[in-house]
Amino acid sequence: MDNAKAPGNTIVLAFKEDTALTEMMRLRVSSLQRSGQKRQDGERLLLSHEAVYRLDFPTQELNFSRWYFSLKAYGRVTITGISQHWTPDLTNLMTRQLLEPIGTFWRNANDPEDSPLKWLEADMQEFGERIAELAKVRKVMYFLFAFKDAAEAANLSCSVEFTAD
């Protein structure tokens, strides 16, 4: 589904982990811990169960269509968008740069493994529309993916479908 073009003007973009950026943010946390320093006021440090993902937009004129996600086993995944004001190679991530709403989907531990995932539909719709709006002024967008309740990145597939104007 990575950058797959469906019939017509539909584009499906897969979220990709940015391992270099995730590692850079983890190094920031360990550096602060080693030196005994505190984070900057308002700085958002990467938690151990989080990773940085990205979407690369091949075009800027997109309209949100739908989400595709699958999670093997159970757990909870939250996706938080990061605003266009973050330049990861130059500045630390600040909490004011995190966007709302966040996307959340999950499967409870007592649910059958083949049961559909649950999600907050209105939030996911608004989140997808917000991504499409930000794509108008960006070539790439970053996201924090948090894996909770036994969810793992290796068990996740997540992409978003747009229609091109």
Side-chain angles (χ1 to χ4, degrees), residues 17-18 26 39 51 61 76 80 97 119 128 134 146 162 164:
E17 184 176 2
D18 190 320
R26 291 198 196 295
R39 64 180 173 84
E61 299 301 321
R76 176 178 299 268
T80 305
Q97 296 164 320
W119 68 91
L134 289 169
F162 299 97

Side-chain angles (χ1 to χ4, degrees), residues 1 12-15 55 66-69 157-161:
M1 296 175 81
V12 178
L13 301 175
F15 288 86
L55 275 181
R66 63 172 299 205
W67 288 92
Y68 294 99
F69 40 79
S157 171
C158 186
S159 57
V160 62
E161 179 182 288

Side-chain angles (χ1 to χ4, degrees), residues 15-32:
F15 288 86
K16 297 180 190 143
E17 184 176 2
D18 190 320
T19 52
L21 193 48
T22 299
E23 183 59 26
M24 184 177 83
M25 291 185 69
R26 291 198 196 295
L27 289 172
R28 169 77 177 145
V29 172
S30 63
S31 171
L32 288 174

